[in-house]
């Protein structure tokens, strides 16, 4: 008889394995997420025959000078905004994870790119969520032409792989990784073990046969993909599709890209006929901006090579409890707290006893210090209940002494600010390089936040 089977536990949030059950995962800190992995899966997993790469023979070390470095083969997906985020088109034989909350538009985006992909490639769209009929109806609504597009409604990944071997598509879309299972299905689809196994099989399809694989992954409430770490490590690119439920704008960003930069964003708008690209995000993000109200200021951030205008809103109200509340949305929390402290100490505004809320409109995430000054202005404007002029924007990093520091690509930002009809812009008095102010835009040069507040509020 075999010795007592080894028991393995893992966390359903992060995939961390432990030899014994615990109430809290020691890796990610989540509570009540440790479950036991079924015994067969553990035993089988250790001797999985698919760990070798079929069709590729034995991998041997190669001298670095013999490794070919011809550029990777890229093709356009037909959505310039998606191509931009991928780093200039999709790479042949890459595995791309498209993550996002349920209902954000991942399936729609993938189905829409089929329209142009299937003009030059064979595309297999596998859905574990919808029937072929449902997908066809949706494709018709999205005006996706169908030649060269094949649909498969399947959740067993081994059957999917068999179809791939028969059809030999150039592009494979899997909707979604959480509905797929591999092997005998002992572990339920979506569990970390299954997600891992399926991702590995898809990786082998991509690398072994040169198929470009897009795999959709749902994000749970806490903002992580089920088994996120496992997936993110394995794939070549991780794209996140984000947006606010009540708004029609969607932002696609790369969290990881083995073939390009991760700072580009793609902007889309969800309408009756699916997603349309928004080539001028600034206009879209500023539409509906409140006029003549305190607590809002516009800035310009660089998203990759592209300047994008963002509206920062703030609400500062006297705190009714002992400790003041601070929240931020779309803006780094620690940075927001730091700016409030600077505003109190260097700007002379007594915000210490106030609740403060900071929000970036349109689902944009602003991670650049260049947005500091606009945040300061918005906070001060709300605190003093005084309007910021509607035609004013602000760009500049704020230091701990309240001084304004120069930012990169200032000329580019100013050009975009002027293009959107602003006539005044607060900028740091000192900036490196020559700053060209576009015609029609008045620069208000300030040394520190006191000067900035005096100039506009
Ligand atoms: P979907 O692509 O199914 O989301 P996901 O795959 O990320 O879960 O998008 C579904 C949502 O998009 C749904 O709430 C309806 C909306 N939608 C539109 O507004 N217009 C459209 O043309 C389509 C196809 C969907
Ligand atoms: Mg879907």
């Amino acid at each position: 008889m075999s010795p007592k089977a080894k028991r393995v536990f893992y966390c359903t949030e992060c995939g961390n394995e432990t030899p014994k059950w615990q109430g809290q995962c020691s890796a990610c800190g989540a509570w009540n997420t440790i479950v036991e992995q079924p015994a067969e899966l553990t035993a089988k997993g250790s001797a999985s025959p698919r760990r070798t790469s079929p069709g590729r023979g034995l991998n041997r070390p190669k001298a670095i000078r013999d490794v070919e470095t011809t550029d990777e083969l890229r093709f356009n997906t037909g959505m310039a905004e998606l191509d931009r985020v991928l780093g200039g088109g999709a790479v042949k034989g890459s595995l791309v994870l498209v993550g996002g909350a349920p209902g954000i538009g991942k399936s729609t985006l993938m189905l829409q790119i089929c329209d142009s992909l299937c003009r030059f490639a064979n595309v297999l769209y596998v859905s574990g969520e919808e029937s072929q009929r449902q997908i066809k109806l949706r494709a018709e609504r999205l005006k996706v032409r169908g030649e060269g597009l094949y649909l498969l409604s399947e959740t067993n990944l081994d059957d999917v792989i068999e179809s791939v071997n028969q059809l030999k598509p150039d592009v494979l879309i899997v909707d979604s990784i959480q509905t797929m299972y591999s092997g005998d299905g002992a572990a339920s689809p979506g569990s970390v073990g299954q997600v891992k196994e399926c991702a590995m099989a898809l990786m082998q399809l991509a690398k072994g046969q040169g198929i470009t694989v897009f795999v959709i992954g749902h994000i749970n409430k806490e903002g992580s993909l089920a088994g996120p770490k496992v997936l993110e490590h394995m794939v070549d690119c991780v794209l996140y599709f984000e947006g606010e439920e009540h708004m029609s704008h969607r932002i696609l960003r790369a969290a990881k890209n083995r073939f390009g930069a991760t700072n580009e964003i793609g902007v889309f708008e969800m309408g009756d006929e699916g997603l349309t690209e928004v080539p001028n995000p600034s206009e879209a993000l500023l539409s509906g901006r409140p006029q003549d109200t305190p607590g809002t200021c516009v800035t310009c951030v660089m998203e990759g090579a592209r300047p994008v205008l963002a509206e920062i809103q703030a609400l500062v109200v006297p705190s009714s409890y002992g400790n003041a509340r601070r929240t931020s949305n779309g803006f780094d929390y620690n940075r927001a707290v730091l700016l409030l402290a600077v505003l109190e100490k260097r700007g002379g505004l007594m915000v210490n006893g106030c609740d403060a809320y900071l929000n970036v409109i349109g689902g944009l995430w602003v991670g650049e210090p260049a947005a500091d000054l606009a945040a300061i202005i918005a906070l001060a404007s709300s605190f003093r209940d005084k309007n910021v002029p509607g035609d004013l924007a602000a760009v500049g990093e704020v230091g701990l002494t309240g001084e304004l520091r120069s930012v990169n690509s200032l000329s580019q930002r100013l050009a975009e600010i002027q293009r959107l009809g602003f006539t005044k812009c607060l900028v740091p008095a000192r900036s490196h390089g020559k700053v060209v102010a576009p015609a029609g835009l008045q620069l208000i040069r300030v040394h520190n936040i006191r000067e900035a507040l005096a100039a506009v509020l």
Side-chain angles (χ1 to χ4, degrees):
M1 290 304 281
S2 65
K4 196 169 160 235
K6 198 170 146 234
R7 297 174 73 190
V8 175
F9 297 85
Y10 69 91
C11 169
T12 53
E13 280 297 310
C14 71
N16 182 46
E17 285 185 6
T18 71
K20 62 179 183 9
W21 189 87
Q22 295 159 262
Q24 185 184 20
C25 172
S26 52
C28 70
W31 287 92
N32 295 326
T33 53
I34 307 285
V35 295
E36 185 174 357
Q37 189 153 313
E40 317 99 272
L41 203 75
T42 335
K44 199 175 63 117
S46 57
S48 172
R50 260 197 276 116
R51 291 287 182 265
T52 58
S53 316
R56 282 204 297 172
L58 187 60
N59 265 331
R60 286 181 198 286
K62 215 180 206 180
I64 190 166
R65 62 169 185 275
D66 297 335
V67 177
E68 287 177 29
T69 52
T70 41
D71 278 350
E72 64 271 350
L73 233 58
R74 286 187 187 264
F75 57 89
N76 289 338
T77 59
M79 284 264 191
E81 293 291 300
L82 174 61
D83 290 341
R84 177 204 305 279
V85 179
L86 287 169
V91 173
K92 186 175 177 329
S94 63
L95 178 57
V96 180
L97 172 67
V98 182
I104 201 77
K106 302 179 295 296
S107 306
T108 309
L109 178 68
M110 286 298 116
L111 201 52
Q112 276 184 261
I113 62 168
C114 290
D115 181 50
S116 87
L117 287 182
C118 65
R119 288 172 205 207
F120 59 88
N122 268 338
V123 185
L124 176 60
Y125 187 106
V126 180
S127 179
E129 305 189 344
E130 290 167 298
S131 66
Q132 286 160 322
R133 191 173 159 275
Q134 276 174 310
I135 304 169
K136 177 161 186 186
L137 286 175
R138 191 202 282 243
E140 279 173 354
R141 208 151 48 78
L142 295 172
K143 307 214 165 42
V144 174
R145 301 173 339 135
E147 295 123 60
L149 174 60
Y150 293 84
L151 304 178
L152 176 66
S153 186
E154 181 60 69
T155 54
N156 184 338
L157 195 69
D158 303 323
D159 291 348
V160 171
I161 291 172
E162 213 173 294
S163 299
V164 168
N165 289 335
Q166 282 169 13
L167 191 68
K168 305 216 178 307
D170 305 291
V171 179
L172 171 69
I173 296 170
V174 178
D175 186 2
S176 62
I177 189 82
Q178 278 102 345
T179 55
M180 296 293 149
Y181 73 93
S182 176
D184 55 8
S188 59
S191 66
V192 171
Q194 281 292 355
V195 165
K196 223 177 190 174
E197 192 134 326
C198 292
M200 183 60 92
L202 292 172
M203 189 63 159
Q204 279 168 7
L205 279 184
K207 303 295 154 192
Q209 305 189 28
I211 301 172
T212 305
V213 183
F214 289 94
V215 48
I216 290 177
H218 294 294
I219 293 184
N220 62 16
K221 277 205 301 295
E222 290 76 32
S224 62
L225 292 159
K229 296 289 167 276
V230 191
L231 271 184
E232 289 195 354
H233 287 166
M234 291 162 86
V235 301
D236 295 312
C237 304
V238 181
L239 309 184
Y240 282 115
F241 209 25
E242 300 164 352
E244 289 173 25
E245 264 172 51
H246 51 275
M247 287 190 55
S248 57
H249 293 116
R250 302 281 183 267
I251 293 176
L252 187 69
R253 74 176 74 245
K256 165 180 173 182
N257 191 350
R258 285 191 182 141
F259 308 108
T262 52
N263 52 5
E264 295 284 356
I265 59 165
V267 184
F268 299 86
E269 186 164 6
M270 177 66 93
D272 293 337
E273 297 200 343
L275 293 157
T276 41
E277 299 178 73
V278 180
N280 284 317
S282 298
E283 280 155 38
L285 292 170
L286 290 190
S287 65
R289 190 162 69 98
Q291 296 292 326
D292 305 323
T293 35
T296 153
C297 187
V298 169
T299 189
C300 184
V301 290
M302 298 300 292
E303 294 289 355
R306 189 161 55 158
V308 174
L309 294 202
E311 181 193 351
I312 300 188
Q313 290 193 350
L315 184 66
V316 182
V317 287
S319 181
S320 42
Y321 303 101
N323 24 357
R325 274 184 61 133
R326 269 88 220 262
T327 50
S328 72
N329 188 9
F331 198 94
D332 181 57
Y333 175 79
N334 290 326
R335 190 97 201 147
V337 173
L338 183 143
L339 290 177
L340 279 162
V342 173
L343 194 57
E344 163 116 11
K345 187 88 177 169
R346 307 290 167 205
L349 267 59
M350 296 300 140
V351 289
N352 207 5
C354 295
D355 292 347
Y357 307 90
L358 202 61
N359 188 21
V360 180
I361 302 298
L364 206 64
W365 168 262
V366 172
E368 257 196 301
D372 288 353
L373 183 57
I376 287 270
I377 299 285
L379 288 164
S381 157
S382 174
F383 179 80
R384 290 190 176 160
D385 215 14
K386 272 179 145 173
N387 298 351
V388 177
D391 59 349
L392 176 117
V395 176
E397 177 178 350
V398 174
L400 290 186
T401 68
E403 87 279 16
L404 281 182
R405 311 177 69 94
S406 65
V407 300
N408 61 357
S409 319
L410 188 56
S411 302
Q412 252 179 297
R413 299 180 203 248
L414 295 176
E416 179 74 356
I417 288 169
Q418 189 272 335
R419 193 179 72 78
L420 270 287
F422 289 82
T423 58
K424 285 178 272 183
C425 187
L426 277 176
V427 292
R430 260 171 268 141
S431 51
H432 43 232
K434 192 164 167 276
V435 177
V436 190
L441 185 70
Q442 180 202 347
L443 298 191
I444 307 174
R445 297 172 190 269
V446 284
H447 291 89
N448 51 48
I449 61 170
R450 265 187 196 271
E451 283 182 25
L453 296 180
V456 296
L457 290 176

